[in-house]
Amino acid sequence: MRGRTLSAGIALAVFAGMTVTLATQPATASPSTATTAVTRPIAAAAAALAAPDISVTNVQAHLTQFNTIATSNGGNRRAGSAGYTASLNYVKTRLQAAGYTVSEQYCSSCTYPSNNLIAEWPGGPTDQVVMFGAHLDGVSAGPGINDNATGSSTLLENALVLAAQNPTMTKKVRFAWWTDEEQGLNGSRFYVNSLNATQRGYIKGYYNFDMVGSTNGGYFINRVTSTTAAPLKAYWDSLGLQPEENVEGQGRSDDYYFQQAGIPTSGYAAGASARKTSAQAAKWGGTANSAYDPCYHRACDTTANVSATVLNRAADGVAYALWQLAVGGGTPTNDFSVAVSPTTRTVARGASTTATVSTATTAGSAQTVSLSASGAPSGVSVSFSPSSVTSGGSATMTLTASASAATGTFTLTVTGTGSVTRTASLTLTVTGTGGCAGGQVIGNGGFESGTTPWTASSGVITNSSSKPARTGSYKAWLNGYGSTRTETLSQSVTVPAGCASYTLSFWTRIDTAETTTSTAYDKLTVRMGSTTLATYSNLNASSSYVQRTLNVAAYAGQTVTLTFTGTEDSSLQTSFVIDDVTLQAS
């Protein structure tokens, strides 16, 4: 959830006033409820039985993956960082394997330009959309597990269960994972602004989930008395939780710009840095006068900073709302899921590697699942031991590369065939015998051989004497006009696999007419693919060339586009001059 404050309704049948008394089990983890018997509407009870139970263990497994991603990428998952990109790829891979239509939306106006992830389930009318969203980014201080891997993981597992059960849909269900929320709700704002009036009208409700596992948490609902909130509230009412309005979160998460655009909104939250009252502690458990999340925006926001009880109730409440709002009948009797671990493997020519293929029964009874794979490159064979399993079992997949196997990076599809067909993906990189090919992979890095293989805005690659090259006669000169302008310089590069180090190096000379010492009016952004590696500005002005070096090991074995983008505002020029670009693998 964003740190400072900025500043509904779906048509849903009102539940009948009839009630039924149901026994409930005592909570097993704090915060807990002391209620042992509650009354809830009959309609709510029936729908709760129809909706699937979301496995909190599976949600926690996603949290562990996000924590590992942060640990492997500088300790955080901040928007625009390698940790954020890896988080997005983790979610995207699983959604694609489950059968979702998945797209990435590049947020060019974000503080850290990066991608939103949007996924739609195929069923349901396109003009009747129910949308569920959570921000995928975290702050730079820590791994961001409660804030907001909990919301992201809750939606991911709900999406996977929906796909596995494949019910008849009465509404179109759209899931979203937002970037740059922590810098001002920028990803969701960009998305809402990209919709025309008709598209906005199709969205009958947007539900937001931000920090849904706080260790000293409460049970808060955005616009709790609205019609839009009714299914979320009905589920928590059925547990006797007595949810309250999410006062702390008003205007501070991604529902804000949907609400501003006139789209009905609601959502769950468990609280951030505000303190639990004595009355809340009495009905929910936990510690009065202590923060709902004691690790809010801190390095200790790890998997240890999550209440399994609060998380489980949020995940099941999402499923209840989703089934109430968008699901009809017709759930298949028997179904299963397929997963591959790890999802990336590297093998040298003449060698082999393995991965584990796991299956699970997601509906009905266990069944026999036959395993196969497609998409392997020439010279790579794939085998399974055993070749078929009973759903709930696993097999070892062996990938063997011949001495003449094609090298590069390939996406393999692992298919499980039973009463239905389910798939998962694995990314395989095949390297040449002997490991790292090494070398310098940037073409024409000194710009002395014309524009090839660069793609550049007109006039960027130049031998103008106004700005001298560092070496030779040519360089790339972006901006310097003193007016609003964007210029780019890019090159597709293939980064070899199997090397110990990967260093992108280039020299910049930045001169400016700006006089400020605090505001970055004009910027030079360096990206690999859609990930921003670094940003420089008029604040980095220097009278001579300065060498910049960046670690690009994350792109080993990939073909990606290196892009320099210069943006200049309406007055006072800044010139970004670049020379001697190299990407050295060794």
Side-chain angles (χ1 to χ4, degrees), residues 411-423:
T411 299
L412 279 64
T413 299
V414 178
T415 300
T417 303
S419 61
V420 293
T421 298
R422 299 292 177 225
T423 62

mmCIF file with all atom_site columns, all heavy atoms in Angstrom, residues 411-423:
data_model
loop_
_atom_site.group_PDB
_atom_site.id
_atom_site.type_symbol
_atom_site.label_atom_id
_atom_site.label_alt_id
_atom_site.label_comp_id
_atom_site.label_asym_id
_atom_site.label_entity_id
_atom_site.label_seq_id
_atom_site.pdbx_PDB_ins_code
_atom_site.Cartn_x
_atom_site.Cartn_y
_atom_site.Cartn_z
_atom_site.occupancy
_atom_site.B_iso_or_equiv
_atom_site.pdbx_formal_charge
_atom_site.auth_seq_id
_atom_site.auth_comp_id
_atom_site.auth_asym_id
_atom_site.auth_atom_id
_atom_site.pdbx_PDB_model_num
ATOM 1  N N   . THR A 1 411 ? 11.132  -22.208 -25.295 1.00 0.00 ? 411 THR A N   1
ATOM 2  C CA  . THR A 1 411 ? 10.025  -22.463 -24.371 1.00 0.00 ? 411 THR A CA  1
ATOM 3  C C   . THR A 1 411 ? 9.410   -23.818 -24.697 1.00 0.00 ? 411 THR A C   1
ATOM 4  O O   . THR A 1 411 ? 8.923   -24.043 -25.807 1.00 0.00 ? 411 THR A O   1
ATOM 5  C CB  . THR A 1 411 ? 8.949   -21.375 -24.474 1.00 0.00 ? 411 THR A CB  1
ATOM 6  O OG1 . THR A 1 411 ? 9.523   -20.112 -24.128 1.00 0.00 ? 411 THR A OG1 1
ATOM 7  C CG2 . THR A 1 411 ? 7.795   -21.675 -23.520 1.00 0.00 ? 411 THR A CG2 1
ATOM 8  N N   . LEU A 1 412 ? 9.454   -24.728 -23.712 1.00 0.00 ? 412 LEU A N   1
ATOM 9  C CA  . LEU A 1 412 ? 8.862   -26.049 -23.863 1.00 0.00 ? 412 LEU A CA  1
ATOM 10 C C   . LEU A 1 412 ? 7.508   -26.079 -23.153 1.00 0.00 ? 412 LEU A C   1
ATOM 11 O O   . LEU A 1 412 ? 7.365   -25.483 -22.076 1.00 0.00 ? 412 LEU A O   1
ATOM 12 C CB  . LEU A 1 412 ? 9.756   -27.128 -23.264 1.00 0.00 ? 412 LEU A CB  1
ATOM 13 C CG  . LEU A 1 412 ? 10.938  -27.629 -24.120 1.00 0.00 ? 412 LEU A CG  1
ATOM 14 C CD1 . LEU A 1 412 ? 11.944  -26.518 -24.365 1.00 0.00 ? 412 LEU A CD1 1
ATOM 15 C CD2 . LEU A 1 412 ? 11.614  -28.816 -23.430 1.00 0.00 ? 412 LEU A CD2 1
ATOM 16 N N   . THR A 1 413 ? 6.550   -26.741 -23.749 1.00 0.00 ? 413 THR A N   1
ATOM 17 C CA  . THR A 1 413 ? 5.236   -26.914 -23.141 1.00 0.00 ? 413 THR A CA  1
ATOM 18 C C   . THR A 1 413 ? 5.098   -28.347 -22.662 1.00 0.00 ? 413 THR A C   1
ATOM 19 O O   . THR A 1 413 ? 5.226   -29.285 -23.450 1.00 0.00 ? 413 THR A O   1
ATOM 20 C CB  . THR A 1 413 ? 4.119   -26.591 -24.142 1.00 0.00 ? 413 THR A CB  1
ATOM 21 O OG1 . THR A 1 413 ? 4.239   -25.226 -24.568 1.00 0.00 ? 413 THR A OG1 1
ATOM 22 C CG2 . THR A 1 413 ? 2.749   -26.790 -23.497 1.00 0.00 ? 413 THR A CG2 1
ATOM 23 N N   . VAL A 1 414 ? 4.880   -28.505 -21.363 1.00 0.00 ? 414 VAL A N   1
ATOM 24 C CA  . VAL A 1 414 ? 4.660   -29.820 -20.766 1.00 0.00 ? 414 VAL A CA  1
ATOM 25 C C   . VAL A 1 414 ? 3.154   -30.031 -20.670 1.00 0.00 ? 414 VAL A C   1
ATOM 26 O O   . VAL A 1 414 ? 2.443   -29.197 -20.083 1.00 0.00 ? 414 VAL A O   1
ATOM 27 C CB  . VAL A 1 414 ? 5.316   -29.912 -19.379 1.00 0.00 ? 414 VAL A CB  1
ATOM 28 C CG1 . VAL A 1 414 ? 5.040   -31.279 -18.753 1.00 0.00 ? 414 VAL A CG1 1
ATOM 29 C CG2 . VAL A 1 414 ? 6.811   -29.664 -19.488 1.00 0.00 ? 414 VAL A CG2 1
ATOM 30 N N   . THR A 1 415 ? 2.659   -31.124 -21.218 1.00 0.00 ? 415 THR A N   1
ATOM 31 C CA  . THR A 1 415 ? 1.217   -31.374 -21.303 1.00 0.00 ? 415 THR A CA  1
ATOM 32 C C   . THR A 1 415 ? 0.848   -32.611 -20.496 1.00 0.00 ? 415 THR A C   1
ATOM 33 O O   . THR A 1 415 ? 1.485   -33.660 -20.621 1.00 0.00 ? 415 THR A O   1
ATOM 34 C CB  . THR A 1 415 ? 0.785   -31.558 -22.760 1.00 0.00 ? 415 THR A CB  1
ATOM 35 O OG1 . THR A 1 415 ? 1.105   -30.379 -23.503 1.00 0.00 ? 415 THR A OG1 1
ATOM 36 C CG2 . THR A 1 415 ? -0.720  -31.814 -22.849 1.00 0.00 ? 415 THR A CG2 1
ATOM 37 N N   . GLY A 1 416 ? -0.175  -32.458 -19.660 1.00 0.00 ? 416 GLY A N   1
ATOM 38 C CA  . GLY A 1 416 ? -0.775  -33.590 -18.970 1.00 0.00 ? 416 GLY A CA  1
ATOM 39 C C   . GLY A 1 416 ? -2.127  -33.877 -19.590 1.00 0.00 ? 416 GLY A C   1
ATOM 40 O O   . GLY A 1 416 ? -2.968  -32.972 -19.713 1.00 0.00 ? 416 GLY A O   1
ATOM 41 N N   . THR A 1 417 ? -2.344  -35.126 -20.010 1.00 0.00 ? 417 THR A N   1
ATOM 42 C CA  . THR A 1 417 ? -3.587  -35.486 -20.688 1.00 0.00 ? 417 THR A CA  1
ATOM 43 C C   . THR A 1 417 ? -4.347  -36.521 -19.866 1.00 0.00 ? 417 THR A C   1
ATOM 44 O O   . THR A 1 417 ? -3.814  -37.606 -19.561 1.00 0.00 ? 417 THR A O   1
ATOM 45 C CB  . THR A 1 417 ? -3.308  -36.055 -22.086 1.00 0.00 ? 417 THR A CB  1
ATOM 46 O OG1 . THR A 1 417 ? -2.562  -35.091 -22.835 1.00 0.00 ? 417 THR A OG1 1
ATOM 47 C CG2 . THR A 1 417 ? -4.601  -36.364 -22.812 1.00 0.00 ? 417 THR A CG2 1
ATOM 48 N N   . GLY A 1 418 ? -5.557  -36.174 -19.469 1.00 0.00 ? 418 GLY A N   1
ATOM 49 C CA  . GLY A 1 418 ? -6.451  -37.082 -18.773 1.00 0.00 ? 418 GLY A CA  1
ATOM 50 C C   . GLY A 1 418 ? -7.848  -36.867 -19.318 1.00 0.00 ? 418 GLY A C   1
ATOM 51 O O   . GLY A 1 418 ? -8.042  -36.824 -20.537 1.00 0.00 ? 418 GLY A O   1
ATOM 52 N N   . SER A 1 419 ? -8.835  -36.653 -18.443 1.00 0.00 ? 419 SER A N   1
ATOM 53 C CA  . SER A 1 419 ? -10.177 -36.320 -18.910 1.00 0.00 ? 419 SER A CA  1
ATOM 54 C C   . SER A 1 419 ? -10.215 -34.921 -19.505 1.00 0.00 ? 419 SER A C   1
ATOM 55 O O   . SER A 1 419 ? -11.111 -34.576 -20.273 1.00 0.00 ? 419 SER A O   1
ATOM 56 C CB  . SER A 1 419 ? -11.181 -36.433 -17.755 1.00 0.00 ? 419 SER A CB  1
ATOM 57 O OG  . SER A 1 419 ? -10.849 -35.523 -16.718 1.00 0.00 ? 419 SER A OG  1
ATOM 58 N N   . VAL A 1 420 ? -9.239  -34.108 -19.116 1.00 0.00 ? 420 VAL A N   1
ATOM 59 C CA  . VAL A 1 420 ? -9.015  -32.791 -19.716 1.00 0.00 ? 420 VAL A CA  1
ATOM 60 C C   . VAL A 1 420 ? -7.518  -32.680 -19.994 1.00 0.00 ? 420 VAL A C   1
ATOM 61 O O   . VAL A 1 420 ? -6.742  -33.569 -19.640 1.00 0.00 ? 420 VAL A O   1
ATOM 62 C CB  . VAL A 1 420 ? -9.464  -31.647 -18.777 1.00 0.00 ? 420 VAL A CB  1
ATOM 63 C CG1 . VAL A 1 420 ? -10.961 -31.652 -18.580 1.00 0.00 ? 420 VAL A CG1 1
ATOM 64 C CG2 . VAL A 1 420 ? -8.750  -31.726 -17.444 1.00 0.00 ? 420 VAL A CG2 1
ATOM 65 N N   . THR A 1 421 ? -7.107  -31.594 -20.624 1.00 0.00 ? 421 THR A N   1
ATOM 66 C CA  . THR A 1 421 ? -5.690  -31.362 -20.905 1.00 0.00 ? 421 THR A CA  1
ATOM 67 C C   . THR A 1 421 ? -5.225  -30.123 -20.159 1.00 0.00 ? 421 THR A C   1
ATOM 68 O O   . THR A 1 421 ? -5.871  -29.069 -20.232 1.00 0.00 ? 421 THR A O   1
ATOM 69 C CB  . THR A 1 421 ? -5.450  -31.171 -22.412 1.00 0.00 ? 421 THR A CB  1
ATOM 70 O OG1 . THR A 1 421 ? -5.832  -32.366 -23.097 1.00 0.00 ? 421 THR A OG1 1
ATOM 71 C CG2 . THR A 1 421 ? -3.992  -30.874 -22.704 1.00 0.00 ? 421 THR A CG2 1
ATOM 72 N N   . ARG A 1 422 ? -4.129  -30.248 -19.426 1.00 0.00 ? 422 ARG A N   1
ATOM 73 C CA  . ARG A 1 422 ? -3.541  -29.119 -18.696 1.00 0.00 ? 422 ARG A CA  1
ATOM 74 C C   . ARG A 1 422 ? -2.072  -28.996 -19.071 1.00 0.00 ? 422 ARG A C   1
ATOM 75 O O   . ARG A 1 422 ? -1.407  -30.002 -19.368 1.00 0.00 ? 422 ARG A O   1
ATOM 76 C CB  . ARG A 1 422 ? -3.691  -29.295 -17.186 1.00 0.00 ? 422 ARG A CB  1
ATOM 77 C CG  . ARG A 1 422 ? -5.139  -29.379 -16.719 1.00 0.00 ? 422 ARG A CG  1
ATOM 78 C CD  . ARG A 1 422 ? -5.845  -28.058 -16.906 1.00 0.00 ? 422 ARG A CD  1
ATOM 79 N NE  . ARG A 1 422 ? -7.253  -28.115 -16.531 1.00 0.00 ? 422 ARG A NE  1
ATOM 80 C CZ  . ARG A 1 422 ? -8.230  -27.605 -17.237 1.00 0.00 ? 422 ARG A CZ  1
ATOM 81 N NH1 . ARG A 1 422 ? -7.965  -27.034 -18.408 1.00 0.00 ? 422 ARG A NH1 1
ATOM 82 N NH2 . ARG A 1 422 ? -9.479  -27.659 -16.818 1.00 0.00 ? 422 ARG A NH2 1
ATOM 83 N N   . THR A 1 423 ? -1.539  -27.775 -19.072 1.00 0.00 ? 423 THR A N   1
ATOM 84 C CA  . THR A 1 423 ? -0.161  -27.553 -19.498 1.00 0.00 ? 423 THR A CA  1
ATOM 85 C C   . THR A 1 423 ? 0.604   -26.691 -18.501 1.00 0.00 ? 423 THR A C   1
ATOM 86 O O   . THR A 1 423 ? 0.022   -25.986 -17.678 1.00 0.00 ? 423 THR A O   1
ATOM 87 C CB  . THR A 1 423 ? -0.112  -26.869 -20.877 1.00 0.00 ? 423 THR A CB  1
ATOM 88 O OG1 . THR A 1 423 ? -0.749  -25.587 -20.787 1.00 0.00 ? 423 THR A OG1 1
ATOM 89 C CG2 . THR A 1 423 ? -0.780  -27.706 -21.940 1.00 0.00 ? 423 THR A CG2 1
#
